[in-house]
Amino acid sequence: MLSNHSRSGTEFGYPQDLESILERVQEIAKDVVAPNASAVDQEGRWPESGVRALLDAGLGGLTVPQELGGLGQGSFGVAQVCEILGQACASTAMCFGMHCVGSAVLSAKATPDQRERYLLPIIEGRHLTTLSLSEAGTGSHFYIPNTKLEAVSPDFYRVTGKKTFVTNAAYADSYVISTVAADPDAPTGQFSCIVIRNHAEGLRWGPPWDGLGMRGNSSRALHLDQVMVPRNDLLGEEGDQIWYVFQVVAPYFLMAMSGTYLGIASAALEIARNHLIKRHYSESGSSLAELPVLQHRLGTLWGMLERTRRLAYHAAASFDAGDPDALPAVFTTKAEVAECAVEMVNEVMTLTGGMAYREGSKLHQLLRDARAAHVMAPTTDLLRVWTGRTLLGRPILGA
């Protein structure tokens, strides 16, 4: 049994209520994340200082239930935390957000042994986890794995396959992997989830991530060459993967992404506001802020961001409250946020003029990071389809 799982975050001196959590995240974003954001982007550097600061502050157990010793925050808390981090550095927000999603998956059906070996170190800031679901052959259909899980003895499974775009690759201490169910007689389309430790024999990483945007994510390919995994690292039961995808992964992952991209949009809007206030015409001394057309355009952008944020927070709160009709809002949120972030940065670049194109402009990074929102699985198109199917009473994964 887990000897310490009844301890709460308070006993470690960690913040408990969401307001205190967000205040702590704000401090870390200002003091640690923002000062390193440019280097993370320019050097393609994994944002170790920011991620470690968050873990050291006791925020690693953000999505671990309080009864297991964590901070007990749902997708609503994840969205807000990632928005704050996303304003400072989208890569840091995504890296920490993926840890939060992985932690939620590990917590959902954790055995006493898994609580001891995974959740307690996560709560204490000694363990970083992440998801590894996507595969090259299935594209945006990340929920359909080809990775094989074979039962080779009463104590071990063998895992063989290749994953792609693994955030926190080679830096996390564990990886939540999706596989084909181990039982050879299992129905077609039945998948499982298992957790694999970093440095497991047979685990090999592809080349370092060198992307257009989100350059600090360390989003690499993972090769699994007959990796032996203890059976007690199976999450839930064989065949539970689809349950995890729609009850845990989708809401937490979509809200982590949505919060991150809301942060990008918010950062862009603030650049526009500051530019209009500070920029003056040399011949008259008048400020751009005095021009009605620019006031109108800034107000329109604020309205777009605010209504999108309200949708995101409503969707997250509804899911956390157990609303059976929350999924359409959850699916729609990431699609709407993606469009908001890209449009926001584009419009702000227009508002700020030639200054936006100068070397070192923050808008360079925001534009590249924002554009990834549409292509990160589940893609905008797929989410629109899922929303429509849900509203029509059709199976989400149906033909």
Side-chain angles (χ1 to χ4, degrees):
M1 295 293 291
L2 177 59
S3 58
N4 294 305
H5 81 272
S6 61
R7 288 187 289 173
S8 70
T10 305
E11 295 179 62
F12 294 117
Y14 300 158
Q16 284 289 289
D17 63 281
L18 184 55
E19 182 178 357
S20 298
I21 290 169
L22 297 180
E23 288 176 356
R24 188 73 185 100
V25 174
Q26 286 275 16
E27 294 171 0
I28 295 171
K30 177 183 176 182
D31 298 339
V32 183
V33 177
N36 289 287
S38 179
V40 165
D41 177 63
Q42 293 176 12
E43 301 171 18
R45 179 201 305 174
W46 187 72
E48 182 170 10
S49 58
V51 173
R52 296 301 174 195
L54 291 161
L55 298 183
D56 290 344
L59 299 168
L62 184 73
T63 58
V64 178
Q66 288 187 349
E67 60 267 27
L68 301 183
L71 298 180
Q73 295 300 316
S75 62
F76 182 70
V78 170
Q80 293 193 73
V81 166
C82 286
E83 180 175 358
I84 292 170
L85 295 173
Q87 291 179 44
C89 174
S91 287
T92 303
M94 189 59 67
C95 289
F96 185 69
M98 291 300 288
H99 165 77
C100 292
V101 182
S103 299
V105 174
L106 286 169
S107 300
K109 295 186 178 183
T111 65
D113 174 65
Q114 290 167 352
R115 295 172 189 172
E116 182 75 43
R117 291 187 297 114
Y118 293 108
L119 297 186
L120 183 59
I122 284 173
I123 292 165
E124 294 180 340
R126 298 185 288 108
H127 188 103
L128 182 73
T129 192
T130 195
L131 289 186
S132 180
L133 304 185
S134 298
E135 298 184 7
T138 57
S140 63
H141 299 130
F142 65 95
Y143 47 87
I144 305 177
N146 291 314
T147 297
K148 294 182 180 179
L149 180 71
E150 303 172 273
V152 295
S153 77
D155 298 318
F156 285 92
Y157 291 111
R158 180 170 57 215
V159 181
T160 304
K162 179 182 177 181
K163 298 294 184 178
T164 57
F165 300 115
V166 182
T167 298
N168 294 323
Y171 292 99
D173 299 294
S174 64
Y175 301 85
V176 174
I177 306 286
S178 58
T179 71
V180 175
D183 185 351
D185 297 322
T188 301
Q190 193 171 85
F191 311 117
S192 299
C193 283
I194 196 164
V195 58
I196 296 180
R197 290 271 188 171
N198 199 8
H199 306 306
E201 187 175 352
L203 186 154
R204 179 170 53 87
W205 293 106
W209 169 245
D210 186 16
L212 176 69
M214 290 292 187
R215 289 177 46 76
N217 282 11
S218 186
S219 187
R220 300 165 69 177
L222 171 59
H223 301 264
L224 301 156
D225 185 12
Q226 300 187 40
V227 178
M228 302 300 290
V229 184
R231 279 180 174 258
N232 57 5
D233 280 334
L234 179 72
L235 300 179
E237 302 293 332
E238 289 184 13
D240 274 356
Q241 187 250 10
I242 293 297
W243 180 88
Y244 278 107
V245 164
F246 288 104
Q247 298 303 316
V248 187
V249 173
Y252 280 90
F253 178 59
L254 293 173
M255 286 306 136
M257 294 182 72
S258 295
T260 298
Y261 288 103
L262 283 172
I264 291 173
S266 181
L269 183 65
E270 186 63 13
I271 289 173
R273 191 180 74 86
N274 287 332
H275 175 78
L276 297 182
I277 291 173
K278 296 177 181 178
R279 189 85 165 98
H280 291 76
Y281 288 110
S282 57
E283 71 277 9
S284 65
S286 61
S287 167
L288 294 183
E290 298 173 29
L291 297 178
V293 66
L294 297 183
Q295 296 166 358
H296 177 276
R297 292 184 68 177
L298 186 68
T300 299
L301 292 177
W302 183 91
M304 177 180 68
L305 174 59
E306 190 63 17
R307 67 174 177 266
T308 307
R309 179 186 287 122
R310 292 304 145 197
L311 169 63
Y313 289 173
H314 163 74
S318 296
F319 176 81
D320 292 346
D323 184 345
D325 298 321
L327 273 183
V330 170
F331 295 154
T332 298
T333 290
K334 190 258 186 179
E336 292 292 328
V337 170
E339 294 186 358
C340 172
V342 173
E343 183 176 352
M344 177 68 74
V345 180
N346 278 331
E347 289 300 308
V348 170
M349 293 191 80
T350 301
L351 276 177
T352 53
M355 296 179 67
Y357 289 87
R358 289 180 179 174
E359 185 68 27
S361 166
K362 178 67 174 178
L363 288 168
H364 289 194
Q365 179 182 346
L366 294 178
L367 182 64
R368 289 183 282 104
D369 287 346
R371 193 60 188 82
H374 283 301
V375 299
M376 283 187 173
T379 61
T380 298
D381 286 338
L382 185 60
L383 289 168
R384 298 295 194 197
V385 171
W386 283 0
T387 301
R389 285 177 174 168
T390 304
L391 295 173
L392 294 170
R394 310 300 298 171
I396 294 173
L397 303 182

